[in-house]
Amino acid sequence: MSTASQVATHLPAADPAHPGHPAVGAATSLLDSYTPGDHFLATPGRTLLAHGAARPVPDDARPLDERVDATLAEAAAAGQESPVVIGAIPFDHEAPAALSVPAALRIAPPLASDPLIALPAHVTGPADWRIRPVPEPEVYGAGVASAVERMWRGEFSKVVLARTLELTSPAPLDLPGMLQRLARRDPTGHTFALPAGDGRTLIGASPELLVSRQGQRVVANPLAGSTPRSTDLAEDVRRAATLLESAKDLHEHAVVVDAVHQALARHCAELTVPARPTLIRTATMWHLSTTITGTLASPDVSALALARALHPTPAVCGTPTATARQIIAETEPFDRGFFTGMVGWGDARGDGEWVVTIRCAEAEERTLRLYAGAGIVAASVPEAETAETAAKFRTFLSAVGAEL
């Protein structure tokens, strides 16, 4: 699809073994066309941009899957060919989602396949941000220490604790510029800018695929266990090698992989789970990564249904889930909103991609709220977890020209 008047009729999966020859500039033209209020989502499989009026998924007592299916059916009955839902779902499953079916959707190959993505983003925007941490790093560290103490008493085994940075700008936010810098810094990731309600925009670049479905093929890529990268090549390699052998991080990762395995096994006839993780890297972090693949037992289970069955994984909440949620509510002095929820798309056939909402911010007028979290286990050290969240903030801070 190449014009704004065209609606998605099929969202093909990318095949890395046969990438073809996509038109130069096809993906970056969508990135360049983004304006606040649009829905932009770039994944390793495709680039999506929705303009103009959209049909919102209502917030009522029906299950979310049912509301999404009904909204897609209404769009089809109104004459829209192969409608697609796109948007964000919050961490709290009882909070309202920000999902809609756009009337027009432009689709292009993935950003990484477009040679023009290598061109540098134009750097604009203010440099004198006012930054306020919530909570203060020392308070966050104390929360980590308290959680560790409770784990040693046997109350639970893991919790993910987050902190935020509130950035205030003397000038209106340059959302298109931020999106450009996020996308061009890591074009192989999942970059998004989506309306979040009440004039807010959810913007970010996540490394973590929660789940995708194409036909009956399912892929999940849980990440857990991480370490900050170094600008020194030798030190960077040493940190990566250390992460691969870290008992603490390997245990944390195994807990997440096991949870994803169990959730998907209920829906899959076949499932392949590698015995050991590999590494993936972003511009700021190394992560332990496991790619899980499977075949659905029934074509009736949609990508969204799979995502909801997985959410929240121990990678963003903890285990046991109910206890971890309670610890999060007691410890974090803010509402997570869409942070550690999911963003993505889905169609009436059940295909779709849903991404864990991390490395993100909520933008409104002249303010940004950045989020970062760390998985806390019994072996966690408060100073190290505080440093990890600081490293994760760098993804977004570099996109806005700010420093801690």
Side-chain angles (χ1 to χ4, degrees):
M1 300 298 171
S2 59
T3 68
S5 62
Q6 291 175 301
V7 176
T9 57
H10 184 47
L11 278 73
D15 183 353
H18 301 89
H21 300 282
V24 172
T28 51
S29 69
L30 300 192
L31 179 63
D32 294 342
S33 298
Y34 168 79
T35 58
D38 292 343
H39 292 74
F40 179 90
L41 176 63
T43 77
R46 55 194 57 79
T47 305
L48 311 174
L49 178 67
H51 288 295
R55 185 185 299 267
V57 174
D59 178 32
D60 57 39
R62 293 174 295 168
L64 180 60
D65 300 27
E66 184 177 326
R67 287 180 274 140
V68 167
D69 289 345
T71 307
L72 288 167
E74 290 167 6
Q80 187 170 337
E81 185 179 358
S82 300
V84 170
V85 68
I86 187 170
I89 297 171
F91 173 69
D92 181 353
H93 65 277
E94 295 183 356
L99 297 172
S100 61
V101 177
L105 183 66
R106 297 168 62 187
I107 307 168
L111 287 173
S113 72
D114 190 335
L116 298 185
I117 198 64
L119 297 176
H122 180 58
V123 178
T124 60
D128 56 341
W129 291 92
R130 188 171 75 248
I131 302 178
R132 184 171 76 96
V134 179
E136 293 288 341
E138 297 78 10
V139 176
Y140 176 79
V144 171
S146 174
V148 168
E149 181 181 352
R150 295 176 66 173
M151 278 183 266
W152 280 109
R153 294 203 300 261
E155 294 184 33
F156 56 98
S157 56
K158 177 184 176 179
V159 66
V160 177
L161 294 179
R163 64 189 185 103
T164 73
L165 295 178
E166 294 181 355
L167 276 62
T168 305
S169 164
L173 300 179
D174 177 18
L175 292 180
M178 292 179 198
L179 183 65
Q180 286 276 348
R181 291 189 286 279
L182 287 167
R184 292 179 185 275
R185 193 177 194 196
D186 186 12
T188 62
H190 309 82
T191 307
F192 50 90
L194 303 164
D198 299 324
R200 295 169 295 135
T201 299
L202 179 67
I203 182 169
S206 172
E208 185 169 3
L209 172 68
L210 181 62
V211 68
S212 68
R213 196 203 97 159
Q214 183 75 25
Q216 287 186 256
R217 183 173 186 268
V218 174
V219 179
N221 183 207
L223 308 181
S226 56
T227 192
R229 297 193 62 191
S230 172
T231 55
D232 177 80
L233 178 59
E235 173 62 15
D236 195 43
V237 172
R238 188 196 67 78
R239 291 183 185 185
T242 300
L243 180 61
L244 273 175
E245 300 300 327
S246 165
K248 167 189 173 292
D249 291 288
L250 287 170
H251 170 70
E252 181 183 344
H253 187 80
V255 169
V256 177
V257 170
D258 184 59
V260 173
H261 183 184
Q262 290 186 41
L264 290 180
R266 293 192 286 269
H267 302 285
C268 289
E270 298 178 9
L271 203 58
T272 300
V273 183
R276 283 186 61 85
T278 57
L279 288 173
I280 68 165
R281 62 186 179 187
T282 68
T284 60
M285 301 293 297
W286 285 104
H287 297 281
L288 292 177
S289 164
T290 295
T291 300
I292 299 172
T293 57
T295 303
L296 285 176
S298 167
D300 297 332
V301 182
S302 68
L304 178 58
L306 291 170
R308 294 188 67 224
L310 289 167
H311 176 73
T313 73
V316 298
C317 182
T319 185
T321 302
T323 304
R325 280 188 180 276
Q326 180 181 343
I327 302 300
I328 289 168
E330 293 172 357
T331 307
E332 295 177 358
F334 52 85
D335 182 348
R336 286 193 177 188
F338 292 100
F339 172 63
T340 61
M342 47 187 162
V343 298
W345 67 270
D347 63 23
R349 294 171 302 181
D351 288 346
E353 295 174 286
W354 295 94
V355 177
V356 181
T357 313
I358 52 178
R359 310 297 188 275
C360 66
E362 279 197 0
E364 183 178 10
E365 297 180 352
R366 301 187 181 202
T367 62
L368 284 171
R369 170 169 274 188
L370 281 59
Y371 298 85
I376 313 304
V377 295
S380 292
V381 176
E383 293 79 7
E385 305 300 345
T386 304
E388 180 177 318
T389 54
K392 290 175 177 176
F393 280 133
R394 291 208 307 267
T395 295
F396 213 100
L397 291 172
S398 67
V400 299
E403 294 184 5
L404 280 175

